[in-house]
Amino acid sequence: MRPMRLDMAGFTVFRDETTVDFTDADFFALVGPTGSGKSTILDAICFALYGTVPRWGGARGLANALAPSATEARVRLVFESAGARYVATRVARRDGRGNVKTANAGLQLMPAGFDVTKLDTGLSPEDLGEVVAGTPAEMEQAVLEAVGLPYEQFTSCVVLPQGQFADFLHAKPATRQQILVNLLGLGVYEDVQKKATERAGQAEAKLETVDRMLGGLADVDDAALAEAQARVAGAHELAEAVAAAVPERELARAAARDARAALAALDAELAVLDAVCPPDGVAEVARAVAAARAGADATATAVALAEEREEKLRGELAGAGDESALRLLLKAYADRDRLAGEAESVRAALGAAQGGHDAAVAALGEARASAERAEAALEAAFRAHEEAKAADQAVALRAHLVDGAACPVCEQVVHEVPPVPAGSAVAKAVAAGKAARAASDAAKRTAQERDAAAREQERVLLRARAEHDQLAARLAELDGQLAGAAAPEALRHDLAEHARLRRALEEAAGAVRAGRDAARRARGAVDAAEERLRAAWRDFDATRDGLARLGPPAADREDLAAAWAALADWAGGEAGRRHAERAGLAAAVAEADADAAEVEERIAGIFAAAGLPAEDDPVRAATVAVERAEAAHRRLLERREQAAELREQRAGHERDARVARALAGHLRANNFERWLLAEALDLLVDGASRILRELSGGQYDLVHDKGEFFVVDHHDAGLRRGVRTLSGGETFQASLALALALSEQLAGMSTTAASLESIVLDEGFGTLDTATLDTVAATLESLAARGDRMVGVVTHVPALAERIPVRFEVRKNARTARVERTGP
């Protein structure tokens, strides 16, 4: 098993989504401060595959999977095993009561060449490949088949967690033996032994079944066969006797059938003739038809008169003109009167708007003139201010001049210096300027306000003009519409005439509908009467047709009562003649029945002599008797053959049971499995001893005796002592040597599909001295350089981490842990 990519979210210290990409990390180290989450990465790999972690202490520790305050932990592992790529997913979730359970688990076989980086694009689970396991219950067997190792062996050979690194070294011989049995697949021999025992039991059960079946075939001897052959011969004799008697019986039965048929035909004719009788009320049916037809003619005449009046009124209404047009003209008169009243109000509003607009324009002109005057005053004040500043500057210069001195500005001699004014001209100019500024701002505001008022008056005027123009246009339109139209009084008269004609038309239409209803009822009465007459004729025809074979007289189709009377008279005469013939036919029937009974008694005697009951079909009964006798004979022959086959099967089952019991007995001694384990342990210890010798600088060799591990100390005259006497560092060296040898040699020794394509060590390298650490690093580098497996370590030792090309630095903050890859 070789991990390719690990995704975690909410898993212990990895609260946020975290990805560790092992794709090309053949030799890597997990480094970081204590408690940062290095070992948690190995926990996540174990959790994704097996649903538990060694340091959790079993399935009850599942609550440790969730980060603090998290409700869900998700782990997804992509790994390769035996050339196939899988993705294992497992989700743990906390329910409302605080219990943590596995909510989802699955294993999928990914398509060949699937790009692992596509996992970052949000693929759905269906895109990851074929589902091998879809529930937590299916995961255990599916992972075992994919990885080839159960959980205990996985944590002893692939991921070696803290605290369990030396478990295999210190394990009891029985425990170590069971681990090797599982790792090497030697359980197959125990399975063979169980299968042999099972097959022996199955063969013995089949043997018992065959014996029971043979016990049920004891009645297939030669005497039984002779008896069956005799029954077949007797059945054939019976069939021959029956075949001779049956034709005579059939002739007698045919004569009896013919006689009974003739009597039955005569009785049937008598029954038909005696049943001929005219029905009651035949004459009234024809009279009812005539009365119904007269009523229908009268209602048809009334309907025609009503329809004629309706059509006349409809023509008068059409000639009275278009009612809608009349109503539109009346509405136009009313609209014109209403709009004429509104026009006066609109003209008054237009005059008022014009006056307001003119006044606003005049006020605006006056305000603009005032604003221009204020602006001119402001400009004059500005010029006065500039002149005042110049004057003040001259006064300032004048203060230092004396008569006869040169002017500092023009350099002319001043003969007499003018007196200095008492106050400052600038101050007065500033005050005048402020007053002019205030007056100008006020005039501008007034002009703006009056400009807004003038624009508003102009909008009012425009609306008034638009309303006046629209009203005038509507009045002109109405005048055009009413040009040449009749006066309103004439229009109202025409509408009243329309209403009168419409009411009359509705009354006429109602009369037409009533007449048509009466006509429909009359036609229905005619139809009913005619249907009763037709039904009476159908009854007559049916009765006469029933007598057609007897030659009844022709019927008068104009008079139903006369036709019935003639038919009844004829039927009475024919019935009398047939009653005279019946006695002779009855005597012939009795004689034929007696002949048939005599033949039946003779056939019954033949069956009684054969010991069989008589049946209605003696030929079939005789044939059945022959078939049964022959079938019994065939069954007896088949049972004799079956007994012979069962005796052959019994010999085979007895042989199979004996062989299976012998094989199970040989394998139960465990000699073969014990020999295989001893060979495997020898190879394992030889490989571990070679590695330990390198790690310890030639000091130690590893040996075993009766399942126990010992070291040979070459620095102490080859003293052999138990592995539990080693120091912490020495124990680490021995455990590492054993783990490396187990990982290195298991694939060659195992008979299962176990694929040890990686090994990850999580143990204290800090207990090693510098020389030993260098040897360990060189051993790991050599193991990784072979290229047939991934090698990973969890370490705090910088000297070891620096020699490893790929490092995953694990850091943890207050919220979550993070992983950052360094190296190539």
Side-chain angles (χ1 to χ4, degrees):
M1 193 287 294
R2 181 187 183 98
M4 301 293 295
R5 173 185 171 121
L6 178 66
D7 296 295
M8 300 172 287
F11 185 74
T12 67
V13 297
F14 292 97
R15 182 188 298 273
D16 295 339
E17 293 187 3
T18 304
T19 296
V20 184
D21 188 356
F22 298 103
T23 303
D24 55 353
D26 295 330
F27 188 21
F28 68 88
L30 297 172
V31 299
T34 300
S36 60
K38 301 183 299 299
S39 298
T40 302
I41 295 175
L42 306 186
D43 293 345
I45 293 175
C46 292
F47 176 71
L49 294 173
Y50 300 99
T52 187
V53 173
R55 54 180 175 169
W56 288 356
R60 293 185 177 180
L62 185 60
N64 297 317
L66 270 66
S69 75
T71 59
E72 182 179 271
R74 292 178 173 271
V75 178
R76 179 174 64 190
L77 174 66
V78 179
F79 65 94
E80 289 183 349
S81 182
R85 183 171 294 180
Y86 299 86
V87 55
T89 306
R90 201 175 291 266
V91 179
R93 188 171 296 139
R94 194 191 315 274
D95 60 20
R97 293 179 295 180
N99 299 323
V100 179
K101 297 180 180 179
T102 300
N104 185 28
L107 182 67
Q108 292 173 261
L109 177 61
M110 304 179 77
F114 184 87
D115 187 358
V116 177
T117 60
K118 289 184 178 179
L119 295 175
D120 298 323
T121 61
L123 292 176
S124 64
E126 293 78 8
D127 297 327
L128 297 182
E130 176 189 353
V131 176
V132 180
T135 64
E138 297 173 352
M139 280 290 284
E140 181 177 357
Q141 183 61 33
V143 170
L144 179 60
E145 293 176 357
V147 178
L149 295 172
Y151 168 71
E152 293 78 7
Q153 278 68 58
F154 182 81
T155 55
S156 296
C157 301
V158 178
V159 175
L160 283 68
Q162 289 183 0
Q164 300 184 25
F165 193 61
D167 281 358
F168 189 79
L169 178 68
H170 292 157
K172 294 180 179 180
T175 303
R176 190 181 298 116
Q177 176 176 323
Q178 186 58 45
I179 292 174
L180 286 175
V181 166
N182 292 334
L183 287 175
L184 301 177
L186 300 183
V188 66
Y189 301 108
E190 182 179 355
D191 295 340
V192 171
Q193 186 269 330
K194 292 179 180 178
K195 195 67 175 180
T197 302
E198 180 183 349
R199 289 191 177 182
Q202 293 173 352
E204 291 168 353
K206 291 178 180 178
L207 190 61
E208 293 178 1
T209 302
V210 170
D211 287 340
R212 286 195 300 272
M213 295 175 67
L214 282 173
L217 296 175
D219 56 345
V220 293
D221 53 6
D222 294 340
L225 179 61
E227 182 180 352
Q229 291 172 343
R231 284 196 294 270
V232 171
H236 280 289
E237 293 175 359
L238 171 67
E240 292 174 358
V242 169
V246 164
E248 185 180 352
R249 185 194 68 170
E250 294 303 320
L251 290 174
R253 284 184 174 181
R257 283 197 301 271
D258 293 342
R260 282 195 298 273
L263 181 60
L266 183 64
D267 288 341
E269 291 177 357
L270 284 172
V272 173
L273 291 170
D274 291 340
V276 176
C277 180
D280 297 334
V282 172
E284 286 75 9
V285 172
R287 289 194 294 272
V289 171
R293 287 174 178 170
D297 294 340
T299 56
T301 301
V303 168
L305 292 174
E307 289 176 344
E308 182 180 353
R309 183 172 181 274
E310 179 188 22
E311 189 63 27
K312 180 181 177 184
L313 288 172
R314 196 178 303 280
E316 292 178 0
L317 183 61
D322 188 356
E323 183 180 5
S324 299
L326 295 175
R327 293 187 182 280
L328 288 175
L329 289 174
L330 278 177
K331 184 177 183 303
Y333 274 116
D335 290 345
R336 189 181 66 177
D337 293 342
R338 177 177 55 79
L339 293 177
E342 293 179 1
E344 292 299 327
S345 300
V346 171
R347 281 192 292 271
L350 179 60
Q354 185 65 51
H357 178 263
D358 294 343
V361 169
L364 176 60
E366 182 179 348
R368 286 176 175 171
S370 297
E372 290 175 357
R373 289 193 296 272
E375 185 67 24
L378 179 60
E379 291 178 359
F382 180 75
R383 289 192 300 271
H385 177 263
E386 293 297 323
E387 293 172 356
K389 285 197 299 183
D392 278 1
Q393 290 174 355
V395 169
L397 293 174
R398 193 184 306 167
H400 302 288
L401 289 177
V402 294
D403 295 341
C407 175
V409 177
C410 63
E411 297 182 353
Q412 298 293 323
V413 176
V414 179
H415 298 286
E416 183 179 358
V417 177
V420 177
S424 173
V426 172
K428 295 177 182 179
V430 169
K434 289 182 178 179
R437 172 67 67 182
S440 176
D441 293 342
K444 288 180 179 179
R445 284 195 298 273
T446 301
Q448 291 172 351
E449 291 171 356
R450 291 183 178 178
D451 181 58
R455 284 196 296 272
E456 178 61 27
Q457 288 298 325
E458 183 178 6
R459 284 193 291 270
V460 172
L461 178 60
L462 291 175
R463 285 196 298 271
R465 284 177 179 172
E467 186 176 359
H468 178 270
D469 295 343
Q470 184 178 9
L471 189 58
R474 179 60 180 151
L475 283 171
E477 180 183 352
L478 290 174
D479 289 340
Q481 183 179 353
L482 294 173
E489 294 76 8
L491 294 174
R492 283 191 283 272
H493 177 270
D494 293 343
L495 284 173
E497 181 64 16
H498 262 282
R500 184 189 68 76
L501 290 173
R502 190 181 301 106
R503 288 193 298 274
L505 179 61
E506 290 175 354
E507 292 173 359
V512 170
R513 288 192 296 272
R516 288 173 177 171
D517 290 342
R520 280 194 296 272
R521 290 193 295 274
R523 286 195 299 271
V526 171
D527 294 340
E530 290 178 346
E531 177 58 30
R532 285 195 297 274
L533 180 60
R534 287 191 294 272
W537 274 111
R538 285 194 296 272
D539 291 343
F540 173 80
D541 291 339
T543 301
R544 189 178 181 283
D545 291 343
L547 300 170
R549 68 183 184 279
L550 304 179
D556 183 4
R557 302 304 295 182
E558 297 298 330
D559 189 345
L560 179 62
W564 268 112
L567 185 63
D569 290 343
W570 172 83
E574 290 294 319
R577 184 174 58 82
R578 284 169 174 74
H579 277 295
E581 298 175 358
R582 190 179 187 287
L585 287 176
V589 168
E591 182 179 356
D593 286 341
D595 293 341
E598 189 274 331
V599 178
E600 291 285 354
E601 290 178 1
R602 196 184 327 142
I603 293 175
I606 294 173
F607 276 96
L612 296 174
E615 296 188 10
D616 293 338
D617 189 351
V619 174
R620 178 181 178 279
T623 302
V624 170
V626 171
E627 291 176 352
R628 287 177 177 173
E630 291 177 346
H633 181 259
R634 285 195 301 272
R635 283 197 300 274
L636 182 61
L637 294 177
E638 291 171 357
R639 285 161 60 83
R640 287 168 64 90
E641 293 177 0
Q642 183 182 6
E645 293 176 358
L646 288 174
R647 283 190 287 271
E648 292 180 3
Q649 292 178 11
R650 186 184 187 285
H653 293 325
E654 187 175 17
R655 183 174 58 256
D656 292 344
R658 185 169 57 253
V659 172
R661 284 296 179 194
L663 178 60
H666 291 311
L667 292 177
R668 189 178 296 114
N670 294 329
N671 293 330
F672 184 61
E673 180 180 309
R674 188 177 300 111
W675 176 80
L676 287 175
L677 284 173
E679 289 293 316
L681 193 59
D682 288 342
L683 291 174
L684 180 62
V685 171
D686 288 344
S689 181
R690 175 181 51 79
I691 297 172
L692 178 59
R693 193 180 307 115
E694 295 178 3
L695 294 175
S696 63
Q699 180 176 359
Y700 294 116
D701 277 338
L702 185 66
V703 296
H704 76 97
D705 185 8
K706 297 180 181 178
E708 291 287 354
F709 283 159
F710 298 91
V711 291
V712 176
D713 189 348
H714 294 291
H715 290 184
D716 193 6
L719 176 66
R720 191 174 79 167
R721 51 193 176 94
V723 293
R724 294 185 180 275
T725 63
L726 298 175
S727 65
E730 293 170 339
T731 297
F732 176 78
Q733 291 178 349
S735 300
L736 176 59
L738 194 59
L740 293 176
L742 187 63
S743 173
E744 188 177 59
Q745 298 183 22
L746 182 60
M749 295 187 295
S750 176
T751 62
T752 68
S755 177
L756 300 184
E757 298 170 286
S758 60
I759 181 170
V760 184
L761 309 175
D762 185 5
E763 193 58 37
F765 292 96
T767 61
L768 306 178
D769 56 39
T770 302
T772 303
L773 184 63
D774 185 70
T775 303
V776 169
T779 303
L780 294 175
E781 289 171 349
S782 175
L783 183 64
R786 292 170 53 179
D788 58 351
R789 75 197 63 211
M790 171 189 288
V791 178
V793 297
V794 179
T795 182
H796 300 86
V797 181
L800 178 59
E802 290 172 358
R803 294 184 58 169
I804 298 175
V806 178
R807 292 180 295 279
F808 293 97
E809 296 187 3
V810 185
R811 295 288 184 270
K812 179 183 176 184
N813 56 28
R815 172 177 172 76
T816 186
R818 301 182 183 280
V819 180
E820 181 179 358
R821 175 172 171 164
T822 61

